[in-house]
Amino acid sequence: MLRLLQRARVWLLGWLAFSLIGSAVIVRLDIAQRREAFFTDARIAHRLLSQRVVQHEAILATLALLGPFSDGADGADGRAARLAAVYPQLLAVLQRDDDRPWADAALLVGEQQSRAVRHAVLGLIDAAGARYSVVLAGAPSSFALRIDLRRMVPWDTWPMAADGPVRVLLKLGNQLIELQAGAAAGVRPAGLTAGYAFAKALDSVSQPFELQLQRATGPAEWPWRWLLGWALFSAITLTAVWALLRGAQERRRGLELLRVVRVARLNSLGELAGGMAHQLNQPLTALLANTRAAGRLLADDPPALAEARHAMAQAAAQARRAAGVVARLRRLVEAPDAQPALQPLSLQAAMRGVTELLAPELRRLGIRVELPARDQLVMADPVALEQLMHNLIDNAMQALAEVPTTEHRLRLAIDSEAGMGVFSVSNSGPGIAADALPQLFEPFFSTRAPRVWVWGWA
């Protein structure tokens, strides 16, 4: 159950990561598209308004070229009416002759500036009313246009809806004239940020307004339908992948079970053969050594009968030990679930028997072993207990063979813990390699090279 929950968590995290990455790509593409659309519209708006202010300069230049007009039917009002029919942003066309002053003092100041710079200049700005005047000084008459900024916007070709989210301003110094209100800050959907901004001066020397556009944007304008669709698509895709992988895993598992069933008998046979060789190797070797020793002792002149009898007794004990190993392995094969026959045993006595068996090899390696003074009775299988001790001491001897003789240290100890007998073997050898630790308790695992025994007769 825990493993199933862990796998489900992994797949859930994978779906979240897949969905978030795809959603990020979708949002970035959407933002890029809306950003590009905004700046495209801003450039179009700038071009349209620049064309209008340039028209104003052209109108003033034409009026100055045509010269003054009378106050009759074809005077200022008549000419203004005809111009307003073509340019609806023109509220009035004003003229000042040399012998008459301007009605507005701001126009006089503008005329003086225009005469100094020799081109049209701004005269009067009414930011609240979204109006301004532009003046061109001339001789014998000077001309001025009064312009409505809101009518100056060509709404029929304007790239943005008048009631849309984009705010459009004209700025001159500290004065701001609003052409399009856009989305008010108080009614913006939750999550919208400042968004995009565009600012560029109009292409006019006489009317140097800066066009500013602002558009709020943010999560409220993200393509949530696409995002939800992507999340659903991701879930369906990962579910399909999970089903395919699970099916493939089940097929592999079935094939593996078939293979295991086919080789199980061969593996069991190989393990049994390896176990028998491993368990019988030591008693048979000791049996051979004792019989050879007994033969040499009997061949002495005079024969060493006592020593020969001891060697033969040792050989008989090892033969019985080998028979016990075979019997124990047979029980394991015939009844693997049966409990072994336990009997009370002395750990000290078992240690003494094993060290006597290994005494020749211990002497060859210059290893002195002292049996622990403490003893402990335990309930155990005699053959299994003796084999365990033998293997541990033999492993320690093999390890000590790799270090100088002066560094040989082998310590045996007996202790008790929680009602159990404990025997331990420690040595000054190189220790167990880290990569071998996980396999210590695997049956028949060994890091030694196999031994080859040569049998023969003299």
Side-chain angles (χ1 to χ4, degrees), residues 46 84 154 161 200 221 333 448:
H46 179 269
K200 187 177 181 181
E221 292 191 339
V333 173
R448 303 180 196 166

Side-chain angles (χ1 to χ4, degrees), residues 309-323:
R309 289 191 188 96
H310 179 73
M312 293 304 296
Q314 291 288 335
Q318 293 306 316
R320 289 192 297 272
R321 181 166 173 261

Side-chain angles (χ1 to χ4, degrees), residues 282-283 286-287 290 310 313-315 317-318 320-321 345-363 369-372 375 382-383 385-391 393-394 397 412 414:
Q282 298 297 338
L287 176 63
N290 281 287
H310 179 73
Q314 291 288 335
Q318 293 306 316
R320 289 192 297 272
R321 181 166 173 261
L345 299 173
S346 165
L347 289 180
Q348 190 182 69
M351 279 189 176
R352 183 180 297 107
V354 173
T355 54
E356 289 178 357
L357 173 64
L358 295 173
E361 187 69 12
L362 290 170
R363 286 194 296 269
V369 180
E370 293 184 4
L371 294 176
D375 193 11
V383 176
L385 177 63
E386 185 178 349
Q387 193 63 42
L388 284 173
M389 290 184 174
H390 185 283
N391 289 344
I393 297 174
D394 186 56
M397 293 165 54
L412 306 180
I414 294 176

